[in-house]
Amino acid sequence: MSLKKLLTAIMLVVIGLNLTFNQPALAADIANGEQIFSVQCAGCHINGGNIIRRGKNLKQKALKRNGMDSIEAISSIVANGKNNMSAYKDRLSEQQIEDVSAYVLDQAEKDWR
């Protein structure tokens, strides 16, 4: 085998290992997000509603209207809060915030059923 082919093969193995073992640290766990939601969020957002501000609910239409229809946007508001919404970055880990955000998006797509 030529040196060029050997180096190419080694690079492909290294790239393959990097892709296999270098997965993103945060992969959302919707089941965990559901548990977090029921403990931390359902008091104000039962069934995706909002007992404080009706228009700021977690239904898909409202999430889109308010630019909150991505995990990143929801994670940011969960972590940092906004207006009447409390910040949870001191109470929840990054993983928990991502999990609950993924759960909210999943439920919004299912119309909270």
Side-chain angles (χ1 to χ4, degrees), residues 61-70 72-74:
K61 185 176 178 181
L63 291 176
K64 284 182 189 266
R65 180 180 64 241
N66 295 311
M68 291 290 137
D69 55 342
S70 70
E72 295 78 18
I74 295 170

Side-chain angles (χ1 to χ4, degrees), residues 82-93:
K82 185 176 179 184
N83 300 326
N84 293 334
M85 170 78 183
S86 299
Y88 284 82
K89 65 183 169 197
D90 294 334
R91 294 179 249 182
L92 299 175
S93 69

Side-chain angles (χ1 to χ4, degrees), residues 34 37-38 41-63 65-66 68 74 100 103-113:
E34 180 178 16
F37 186 90
S38 68
C41 312
C44 292
H45 294 288
I46 191 146
N47 296 321
N50 186 331
I51 65 168
I52 308 295
R53 296 190 63 197
R54 244 180 294 171
K56 301 287 184 170
N57 61 60
L58 304 177
K59 308 290 180 160
Q60 194 167 32
K61 185 176 178 181
L63 291 176
R65 180 180 64 241
N66 295 311
M68 291 290 137
I74 295 170
V100 77
Y103 171 74
V104 167
L105 278 180
D106 182 65
Q107 287 301 295
E109 289 172 5
K110 297 174 182 174
D111 201 28
W112 290 87
R113 293 181 189 177

